[in-house]
Amino acid sequence: MIYLDHNATSPPRPEVAEAMMNALHRAHGNPSSVHGPGRAARQILDEARRAVARLVQVHDSRVVFTSGGTESNHLAILGVLDRATAPGTVITSAVEHPSVLQPCDQLARRGFRVIRLPVDESGLIRPADLQEALDPSTRLVSIMAANNETGVLQPVAEIGALCRAAGVPFHCDATQWAGKLPLQADAFQADLLTLSAHKFGGPKGCGALIVAASLRLAPQLLGGGQERGRRSGTENLPGIAGFGAAASLIASKVDSEAATITALRQKMEQGLLKTIPDAVILGAKAPRLPNTTALALPGVDGETLVMTLDLAGFAISAGAACSSGKNTPSHVPLAMGLDHELTRSVTRISLGWDSTEHAVDLFIQAFHRSVDRLRKGSHFA
Ligand code: PMP
């Protein structure tokens, strides 16, 4: 099976599995215990925290370990808004992940005003729209760094600067950016930054929220007061050890890996467009992650194409695989102005650390054959 679905989840790197096994076997203690086994576990926890902090270039006291991107987004949004003394406004965008949109919907039911900024046909928000929406009632802005379905990169530094000037906390969901491009939390001017380990070769069920030193959050999990009271619960030590290993590994080679993957993707896109000239790459004119291609294919059902390719030995996804099982068209292409039918045709190919040129060559041929067969099938149906 050739795996081209790294935005859904990226297979753990060998060093990650090793670090996790080490934590399982050698550090069975509770990091909060004062005895030897507890201290051994604490050491692993502290090392991983330093590695994650280094990845985003912040002090390690700002790292709050969580169970992944979804929990980090909840902690950021609800953690800020639960402290608001009066309802106000939350600004987000039309293309966010459901783990941002749904807590915002919950806030709307509690009386907050929620503004979903629109995007243009490239999937980009216009900073001028944000500027216009910011007012004294704004309590939080939550805009993602990179879109999971298209790879489109938002102008995050500009967004962060506008929020800073307005004195409004800025939460940035960097789940898809981290590990794929260099990431400096302070260059984004983000007060809250979401990370998830499994999107760049770490384990599933483990992530972090990077919190500005000056920001107080209402914890969403209460109990033993771990993570400086910001997230209670005995830490997922093997997961965190794997997260730390993935973070230190990628910190040293994110530039070279991004360059390799960009070259592979260029080759793949050229090959796909040559054999299927009417395919449309979503966000082609916008800055994008090195690894992601979302393709709209007139007259083809995306889900059927994914299944056809699966039988041929290739794993890709239709729209957002992380919320798969749903048969509603994705909100992201719709927000970019695609109609329902074209939206249903969208497939996403996301390369990663284990992708090879040979795999890409085989994929181009298989993709072409599958699209051809489906189109001929629907023509005669
Ligand atoms: N945000 C984005 C942009 C994502 O792509 C995902 C994962 N699909 C999440 C949040 C949720 O992350 P996790 O799977 O770690 O909960």
Side-chain angles (χ1 to χ4, degrees), residues 44-60 63 65 195 200 210 240-252:
I44 290 181
L45 181 64
D46 290 347
E47 266 167 31
R49 196 184 303 283
R50 282 193 291 273
V52 172
R54 267 198 310 275
L55 179 69
V56 294
Q57 300 181 35
V58 298
H59 190 269
D60 52 12
V63 177
F65 284 119
L195 307 175
F200 60 98
I210 309 298
I240 289 171
F243 186 9
S248 41
L249 201 68
I250 197 63
S252 63

Side-chain angles (χ1 to χ4, degrees), residues 331-349:
H331 62 294
V332 175
L334 289 175
M336 294 167 77
L338 270 69
D339 63 25
H340 272 70
E341 204 190 322
L342 205 51
T343 294
R344 281 189 189 282
S345 81
V346 174
T347 51
R348 178 189 68 190
I349 305 125

Side-chain angles (χ1 to χ4, degrees), residues 7 68-70 73 97 99 144 146 148 173 175-176 196 198-199 322:
N7 286 12
T70 299
N73 286 343
H97 190 265
S99 59
M144 70 199 330
N148 44 307
D173 176 0
T175 297
Q176 292 289 350
S196 178
H198 76 105
K199 304 294 186 180
C322 21

Side-chain angles (χ1 to χ4, degrees), residues 78-94:
L78 301 175
V80 168
L81 275 304
D82 280 352
R83 285 179 59 91
T85 44
T89 306
V90 183
I91 302 175
T92 184
S93 88

Side-chain angles (χ1 to χ4, degrees), residues 45-315:
L45 181 64
D46 290 347
E47 266 167 31
R49 196 184 303 283
R50 282 193 291 273
V52 172
R54 267 198 310 275
L55 179 69
V56 294
Q57 300 181 35
V58 298
H59 190 269
D60 52 12
S61 60
R62 289 177 56 187
V63 177
V64 179
F65 284 119
T66 66
S67 65
T70 299
E71 187 191 329
S72 295
N73 286 343
H74 278 66
L75 178 58
I77 296 168
L78 301 175
V80 168
L81 275 304
D82 280 352
R83 285 179 59 91
T85 44
T89 306
V90 183
I91 302 175
T92 184
S93 88
V95 294
E96 298 300 311
H97 190 265
S99 59
V100 164
L101 292 176
Q102 290 181 24
C104 288
D105 290 345
Q106 196 188 88
L107 289 167
R109 289 191 290 276
R110 279 166 49 185
F112 285 87
R113 187 163 70 113
V114 176
I115 298 177
R116 287 190 186 192
L117 297 176
V119 293
D120 65 14
E121 75 278 1
S122 286
L124 292 166
I125 73 150
R126 297 171 202 84
D129 288 347
L130 172 61
Q131 173 82 75
E132 207 176 303
L134 282 164
D135 71 17
S137 76
T138 312
R139 305 273 177 264
L140 179 75
V141 171
S142 178
I143 307 275
M144 70 199 330
N147 188 270
N148 44 307
E149 296 187 36
T150 60
V152 167
L153 309 180
Q154 296 295 347
V156 192
E158 222 176 316
I159 293 167
L162 288 173
C163 295
R164 186 73 41 107
V168 172
F170 171 40
H171 166 235
C172 183
D173 176 0
T175 297
Q176 292 289 350
W177 180 302
K180 298 187 183 118
L181 287 172
L183 175 50
Q184 209 186 336
D186 290 337
F188 284 9
Q189 304 203 41
D191 302 288
L192 295 153
L193 190 78
T194 289
L195 307 175
S196 178
H198 76 105
K199 304 294 186 180
F200 60 98
K204 296 165 195 52
C206 192
L209 183 67
I210 309 298
V211 184
S214 57
L215 200 68
R216 292 277 157 273
L217 291 177
Q220 301 298 302
L221 294 178
L222 302 168
Q226 288 87 347
E227 299 297 298
R228 295 170 175 241
R230 295 170 293 189
R231 197 271 189 189
S232 285
T234 301
E235 298 84 351
N236 166 11
L237 204 68
I240 289 171
F243 186 9
S248 41
L249 201 68
I250 197 63
S252 63
K253 60 176 182 185
V254 65
D255 285 310
S256 61
E257 213 169 87
T260 310
I261 293 176
T262 302
L264 272 183
R265 189 191 59 183
Q266 265 164 4
K267 180 183 163 76
M268 180 184 76
E269 290 187 350
Q270 278 163 9
L272 293 174
L273 291 179
K274 200 162 149 202
T275 50
I276 313 165
D278 63 341
V280 178
I281 297 173
L282 304 193
K285 294 198 196 106
R288 274 184 297 150
L289 289 173
N291 76 321
T292 311
T293 303
L295 277 182
L297 299 155
V300 172
D301 177 62
E303 289 279 355
T304 314
L305 178 55
V306 167
M307 288 187 281
T308 310
L309 279 162
D310 181 38
L311 290 175
F314 297 86

